[in-house]
Amino acid sequence: DVRVGADDERVGVVGPGLDSVGGGTRFAIQNAGSYLVTATTPFGCDTSATFELAPYVPLDLRLLPDTSIRFGDSLRLWSQVNYADLDYRWVPNERFPDSALAAPWARPLNSTTYELSVARGSCVARKVVRITVVQRDPVYAPNVFSPNGDGINDLWEVFPNASIRELRSLSVFDRWGGLVYFSEGLGDWGGGGLPLKAWDGHSRGRKVNPGVYAWLLKAETFDGEVTVLTGDVTVVD
């Protein structure tokens, strides 16, 4: 909608799809292109001017495709849009260091649908992407070791993945339920603390007999849940 001239002038606008003379001073222009405007005053003075109306290009927002990650992993939520100097807003944004970025890093603990809103003035575009979190075993524990002093596979320990914030305690029991080994966590695993002490296959200063031993691990995940994991390990000569 364009207004040209004064109310007492005779105005004409000529351009793509428009040829109006004396139709007032306000014109609805629908098409892009070059336009010629002429105005005649009540005293017969003419003036003219040309202007170019650029085509309207809507916001074209694209996101990464729906994808899956393993529990504890991070990924970058990349986006692409056909304009610069835009306002970005991701939701939900509880675990974002900055939700106003075009491509923030995300570390969802559960499967999550993210929505990005991109604004350019009053024009807004929105897209969503689904990130599926695949749960996996929170720790890896070898099922056999040989504490015979040869320097090969002499120690047994558990290895947490990125979902574990803290290893609280590890207990190992013989087949009669007797406690043969116990270790408490030494800090925040996710923050770079020390892991649990590895078991050397000894109990009360003496090497245990070959056989199958049960273990019980207490660990805390990054979402605050304390979990109890169990398994067994075989001691061989």
Side-chain angles (χ1 to χ4, degrees), residues 2-7 9 11-13 24-27 29 37-39 51:
V2 178
R3 186 180 190 279
V4 294
D7 291 337
E9 293 179 336
V11 178
V13 178
T25 59
R26 191 177 294 274
F27 300 87
I29 298 178
V37 180
T38 60
F51 67 91

Side-chain angles (χ1 to χ4, degrees), residues 74-110:
S74 301
L75 82 163
R76 196 159 203 165
L77 301 177
W78 63 261
S79 64
Q80 185 177 14
V81 68
N82 57 337
Y83 285 98
D85 300 324
L86 303 172
D87 294 324
Y88 294 85
R89 182 172 183 268
W90 291 89
V91 292
N93 58 10
E94 289 81 3
R95 299 184 65 83
F96 286 171
D98 189 349
S99 65
L101 297 176
W105 284 93
R107 189 186 186 191
L109 299 179
N110 302 290

